[in-house]
Amino acid sequence: MKIRFDIWYEIISTVRRNKLRTFLTGFSVAWGIFMLIVLLGSGNGLMNGFQSNFADRATNSIKVYGSRTSKTFEGMQKGRVIQLDNTDMLNTETKFPAHVGVAGAILKMNNRTISKGDEYVVCSLVGVEPSYVEIEPYRVAENNGRFINKLDLDERRKVIVIHPRTAETLFKGRNAVGEYVNVNGIAYKVVGVYVQNKERNDQDAFVPFTTAQNVYIKGDKIDQILFTTKGLDTREKGDAFEQSYKEVLAAHHRFDPTDRSAVWLWNRFTFFLQFLDAQQIIQIAIWVIGIFTLLSGVVGVSNIMLITVKERTKEFGIRKALGASPASILWLIILESIIITTFFGYIGMVGGIALTEWGARLFDAQAVAESTDFLQFTIFKDPTVGLGTALSFIVLLVIAGTLAGFFPARKAVQIKPIEALRAD
């Protein structure tokens, strides 16, 4: 059946005569779609945010750093500071060959001034080993030099890898590689400018770990140990390894192996597994809430369409008395339902997408810094909902509204005009 101009005119006239009814129908549709888009978009934003934190890091890695004891042990009081050292690094590399991959030590000196002429930058100076870039999200582009290598480590070279912002501040667009900078009175040769995930805000500079120990008189002290693991593909295996590793540390530093405060182990794989479990729970919860929200919209549309058909029973009787066919009346109801539901569904979809995009702009690239400087996370990123998914929801509401109006309308147009005119 062709859609004639007079049908459009009738629909517009009906909407104008029943503004409140049309608004309530449209609001039910728009609100259901809006809430569903916001819920799904927010869920996707949270998931994408968490996933981005693992995208450029080795998830099978552990970072270890010393803390304070919370238990007495062998006559020693609690509260002792546990300082990692070279022996811990050696034990890590030699005592766990089945489960430790690449490993490296880290020393960090905060608030160091890197200068070149009259320009300067204040940042952290981090002593690392070449394996650092295999675990953490730092890379050196092809034309920007190199990272710390084994020869730098062996010869305790005074070389440095700097952040792009540091290079721009100190060298004003000139090539920094091969130039010298001053770090609190000590000259370092720039061997590389690294590329960093844009969502991280630190501006660290890297030097060879052995150079940091030597120049800054750290002796055999280590701030952190970072290594990758292998063969620990379940949480149970990871927990067993962590316990064995702590026992080795406890034997060397003489603290209770059950003292959870003496040393801290940040096991990214365990955290990653926990994240996957949480992701599944959140996704299920979002879909359950979203479906019930959508169903509330369906119920709202259905109820309003049922009321609409009942209110217009007399109108249908008049139309039939004037010669209108039952099919034309049905088509009028269906088309009106489709137009209202689609229009307001689109408004709800646009509103939901706009809100999630605003949320993305508000939270994107913000880090949640916990007690240590390496625990930085993006919490909200790319809260997208597929266009096909959003349109599917609108189609579902259109079908629900159409069916809700079709069956009572079909029954109404089948009665005789005189009976329809008598209907309350």
Side-chain angles (χ1 to χ4, degrees), residues 51-289:
Q51 288 174 353
S52 70
N53 296 306
F54 298 102
D56 48 11
R57 294 176 173 86
T59 56
N60 61 326
S61 63
I62 292 178
K63 184 169 281 191
V64 187
Y65 59 101
S67 185
R68 289 180 179 272
T69 59
S70 61
K71 296 181 179 181
T72 58
F73 185 72
E74 295 182 349
M76 292 178 286
Q77 296 297 316
K78 63 181 180 180
R80 289 186 300 121
V81 174
I82 302 300
Q83 174 68 62
L84 302 178
D85 55 33
N86 290 347
T87 300
D88 296 314
M89 184 66 202
L90 180 63
N91 289 337
T92 300
E93 294 177 317
T94 59
K95 293 196 173 184
F96 304 95
H99 295 304
V100 174
V102 296
I106 300 172
L107 270 175
K108 188 166 187 176
M109 287 68 66
N110 296 319
N111 299 320
R112 301 291 165 167
T113 301
I114 304 177
S115 61
K116 179 69 174 180
D118 294 332
E119 303 294 338
Y120 69 93
V121 171
V122 178
C123 63
S124 295
L125 193 67
V126 186
V128 297
E129 300 191 22
S131 60
Y132 191 73
V133 291
E134 298 182 41
I135 307 173
E136 295 289 28
Y138 299 95
R139 303 290 182 271
V140 176
E142 185 176 350
N143 297 322
N144 280 338
R146 61 174 177 81
F147 199 72
I148 305 301
N149 62 29
K150 188 176 184 301
L151 201 57
D152 296 330
L153 219 62
D154 294 341
E155 297 182 0
R156 293 177 169 80
R157 291 175 174 176
K158 293 185 178 65
V159 295
I160 190 170
V161 180
I162 60 177
H163 190 279
R165 291 199 300 269
T166 302
E168 179 61 30
T169 300
L170 300 183
F171 297 97
K172 305 299 182 183
R174 294 181 288 113
N175 186 9
V177 177
E179 298 288 339
Y180 283 84
V181 295
N182 187 298
V183 182
N184 294 101
I186 300 173
Y188 283 87
K189 183 179 180 180
V190 179
V191 295
V193 178
Y194 65 85
V195 178
Q196 182 192 35
N197 188 321
K198 66 180 181 179
E199 296 174 356
R200 294 180 62 91
N201 297 317
D202 55 78
Q203 198 170 330
D204 297 343
F206 299 101
V207 298
F209 169 76
T210 52
T211 302
Q213 272 192 329
N214 185 53
V215 170
Y216 300 100
I217 316 176
K218 295 291 184 177
D220 66 344
K221 304 306 180 187
I222 295 174
D223 288 335
Q224 299 167 6
I225 296 174
L226 180 64
F227 59 91
T228 59
T229 61
K230 52 188 179 181
L232 305 178
D233 51 1
T234 65
R235 192 172 301 176
E236 291 73 20
K237 291 181 180 179
D239 291 343
F241 170 78
E242 287 183 26
Q243 184 59 39
S244 299
Y245 187 82
K246 284 183 178 180
E247 289 174 359
V248 171
L249 294 176
H252 174 55
H253 294 282
R254 297 181 64 195
F255 64 83
D256 189 335
T258 63
D259 188 346
R260 301 183 63 180
S261 298
V263 292
W264 290 91
L265 271 67
W266 171 248
N267 191 331
R268 282 182 179 151
F269 181 70
T270 299
F271 183 79
F272 184 66
L273 291 178
Q274 293 172 346
F275 157 70
L276 292 179
D277 292 341
Q279 180 184 33
Q280 186 175 12
I281 293 172
I282 290 174
Q283 285 179 333
I284 293 173
I286 287 173
W287 274 104
V288 169
I289 296 172

